[in-house]
Amino acid sequence: MPVSTVRYKKTVSVTLEPALLQQARDAGINLSATLTAALKHQIRESEAERWKRANRKAIQELNRITDKHGLLSDDHRTF
């Protein structure tokens, strides 16, 4: 049985420089799709940065252990 997903969009107001808006219109750029893609990209980057900050100590510890003991694959790598 197919699962239906309710999708909706919210209308928002965005302020742009008039010349930039005209250039986008002349180029046939879909502003909603462009903004959606840009926001998704920014959100992913923000979440990645937040994860790095939250896990900074653990990453440093793993790097320290690797520097001291090497990697388990060191004896098996061919490169």
Side-chain angles (χ1 to χ4, degrees), residues 21-49:
L21 176 60
Q22 191 57 52
Q23 288 175 324
R25 286 180 174 162
D26 292 346
I29 294 172
N30 179 324
L31 295 179
S32 294
T34 302
L35 179 58
T36 297
L39 285 172
K40 286 179 179 181
H41 176 76
Q42 287 296 120
I43 290 166
R44 277 192 307 274
E45 283 188 355
S46 176
E47 289 173 348
E49 267 311 305

Side-chain angles (χ1 to χ4, degrees), residues 14-69:
V14 177
T15 304
L16 298 171
E17 296 173 9
L20 183 61
L21 176 60
Q22 191 57 52
Q23 288 175 324
R25 286 180 174 162
D26 292 346
I29 294 172
N30 179 324
L31 295 179
S32 294
T34 302
L35 179 58
T36 297
L39 285 172
K40 286 179 179 181
H41 176 76
Q42 287 296 120
I43 290 166
R44 277 192 307 274
E45 283 188 355
S46 176
E47 289 173 348
E49 267 311 305
R50 188 173 28 250
W51 184 90
K52 287 178 192 176
R53 281 193 307 275
N55 293 284
R56 181 167 284 134
K57 288 182 183 179
I59 293 168
Q60 289 172 343
E61 180 62 13
L62 286 172
N63 286 337
R64 186 194 65 74
I65 292 169
T66 300
D67 290 343
K68 182 176 180 180
H69 300 287

